[in-house]
Amino acid sequence: MANGQGYGGVNGYGAAPPQNPYGQASYGANPYAQPVAPAQPYPAQQPYPPQQAQQAHLAPQPPYAAARFGAAPQPGGGFPGPAPRRNRLVVLLQFLLQWIYAPLWILGLVGFFVLLILADNVGGGPSPNSDGWLKVNRGFIPPRRLRAELTGRPEHWERYVTPILARRIAAAEAAHAAGDGELRADHGRVVKAGLALRLYRGLGAAGVVRLAERHGWHGVASGTDAGHVRLARHFPAPAAPHAPSPQGPPAAPGTPWGPQPVRFAPLLPFVFLLQIVYAPVYGLLTCWVSRTEPDYWDRWAARWTVGPRAFRAEFTNSPAAWDRHIRRILKRDATRELDRSAESYRALTAPDGTFLRRIHLARATYRGAGAQQALRIAAEQGWILDPAYTPDPANSLRLARPDRA
């Protein structure tokens, strides 16, 4: 514009624009006359020095910077970048042929197990070192991954792996809420998850860790296992448990801490006899199905089976019978736990040498008496509610007892 108000003009209305406003040193106030850093946070000509790599990893940045997804890992990051791309022709052939060999693979596995059953040789012959050959999905390329495999672009791989990673993290956190996780000396628990290389090949472990950090997770060194990326999250110990005192007033029947309704007594003998048949069948059908609850079998058994020790207590629904049953199970589990050496708790031992011995009682143990009554009986022997878990009296009762190495 002739009035001097063109792009970058700063000399007022009506002033004539200079011949070369971006090359004259007199325009020092003009930001375009000064050399500025490029917008790309990872310019190839100016890589981050090692001492700034961690800050660059945590700072907001464009998701698909070219240098970030290079073959070499970020300095000091410790996680490798993308793996070498697979041959496009091989990927296409695998995608086309999998619709033929995958059904045949499944039929072959079914036939193999039928032969084992008919030959009555389930445990007699040699077994494979792992069950990897049973998982057909490992050799299957879904259509969503095909594009990422063919293009090799990080944004396509990120679009593919993001929902998978979100499901893995959600499942791990749900398992933690149900009582899963690796215990720590501070009563916190660590849950872990992982992804196989085939799911993030073009993104790299560094890219997966970056995505996991958005959910509050962090990467864990995989050691010599270059075919997986390991993730973890530490959950602190829950707040003080909201539970009634063992010596307080009894909880009302039907409440979480009070006595629960027992099953119809005349039906229990039939359950006791039929469970010999349907319990093993159910176990075989679900042995490869992962469950969110780590004590899923105890929860299932409390609904559909009745143990010989609990039969009399549940059949009569007598408070005295329930108390005897609770004491019997508590003595059995406590003896087994106390027989463990203190050395086995080394990772959970506090600096002063104290640690907690842990047991848990299933709902079937105290159904008709109530969780508070079971807690009262356990408190007589020094057991308290485990501070590492949120109480869940409707399903199980987790107890702890202080000890010293």
Side-chain angles (χ1 to χ4, degrees):
M1 296 176 60
N3 58 7
Q5 297 304 308
Y7 186 75
V10 294
N11 292 335
Y13 185 84
Q19 296 298 323
N20 187 3
Y22 304 118
Q24 295 181 2
S26 60
Y27 284 84
N30 193 328
Y32 298 96
Q34 304 296 329
V36 296
Q40 173 60 261
Y42 299 115
Q45 66 274 17
Q46 295 180 0
Y48 278 99
Q51 64 271 20
Q52 298 179 5
Q54 184 65 24
Q55 289 80 353
H57 177 68
L58 298 176
Q61 52 198 263
Y64 310 124
R68 183 175 183 80
F69 296 100
Q74 290 294 321
F79 298 101
R85 290 179 56 185
R86 298 177 61 195
N87 185 277
R88 295 182 181 180
L89 180 59
V90 174
V91 172
L92 284 174
L93 288 176
Q94 181 179 350
F95 179 78
L96 295 175
L97 295 177
Q98 68 187 2
W99 307 102
I100 301 175
Y101 71 74
L104 296 178
W105 190 346
I106 297 174
L107 290 176
L109 290 177
V110 173
F112 177 71
F113 283 111
V114 169
L115 289 177
L116 287 179
I117 295 174
L118 294 179
D120 194 21
N121 192 30
V122 175
S127 59
N129 296 328
S130 68
D131 61 349
W133 58 283
L134 296 173
K135 299 179 180 179
V136 184
N137 63 311
R138 292 187 177 183
F140 196 83
I141 300 180
R144 293 182 303 164
R145 199 172 86 206
L146 179 63
R147 182 182 181 186
E149 290 272 14
L150 294 178
T151 63
R153 299 185 62 180
E155 56 266 32
H156 294 163
W157 277 102
E158 180 167 332
R159 191 175 298 115
Y160 167 71
V161 76
T162 296
I164 298 177
L165 180 63
R167 289 195 298 268
R168 298 283 178 92
I169 288 177
E173 292 181 352
H176 168 267
D180 199 6
E182 184 179 337
L183 289 166
R184 290 290 185 263
D186 61 352
H187 306 314
R189 284 178 288 149
V190 174
V191 290
K192 297 180 179 180
L195 291 178
L197 179 63
R198 68 179 185 276
L199 301 177
Y200 64 91
R201 178 182 300 274
L203 190 62
V208 175
V209 171
R210 174 177 58 84
L211 295 177
E213 288 174 349
R214 300 176 183 175
H215 299 272
W217 288 58
H218 62 273
V220 179
S222 299
T224 57
D225 186 7
H228 292 79
V229 59
R230 308 294 182 184
L231 306 170
R233 181 177 180 182
H234 179 269
F235 287 87
H242 180 68
S245 170
Q247 308 303 331
T255 60
W257 289 93
Q260 302 296 317
V262 296
R263 288 170 287 189
F264 186 51
L267 186 63
L268 291 179
F270 297 97
V271 174
F272 183 78
L273 295 175
L274 292 177
Q275 69 186 6
I276 301 174
V277 177
Y278 65 73
V281 173
Y282 182 81
L284 289 175
L285 293 176
T286 61
C287 61
W288 287 309
V289 179
S290 60
R291 300 292 181 178
T292 301
E293 302 88 356
D295 56 350
Y296 174 79
W297 280 104
D298 290 339
R299 301 186 182 198
W300 183 86
R303 295 179 176 90
W304 303 105
T305 66
V306 54
R309 296 180 177 179
F311 183 86
R312 181 177 180 181
E314 191 167 1
F315 187 82
T316 62
N317 199 26
S318 166
W322 278 111
D323 281 8
R324 286 194 299 270
H325 179 59
I326 294 172
R327 293 180 186 278
R328 187 186 305 116
I329 299 299
L330 182 64
K331 180 180 178 181
R332 182 199 66 185
D333 294 350
T335 301
R336 185 183 305 160
E337 178 67 16
L338 294 175
D339 286 342
R340 292 180 57 185
S341 64
E343 183 68 17
S344 62
Y345 296 90
R346 180 167 47 184
L348 303 176
T349 303
D352 60 353
T354 59
F355 62 93
L356 291 180
R357 297 185 180 272
R358 291 180 162 92
I359 62 173
H360 85 277
L361 303 179
R363 184 181 67 170
T365 303
Y366 56 84
R367 184 201 308 267
Q372 185 184 15
Q373 177 66 7
L375 184 61
R376 183 189 67 80
I377 296 175
E380 297 174 357
Q381 305 178 25
W383 295 94
I384 59 175
L385 287 175
D386 196 330
Y389 299 89
T390 301
D392 184 21
N395 292 296
S396 63
L397 197 61
R398 296 181 179 272
L399 305 173
R401 178 173 169 176
D403 203 342
R404 180 176 293 275

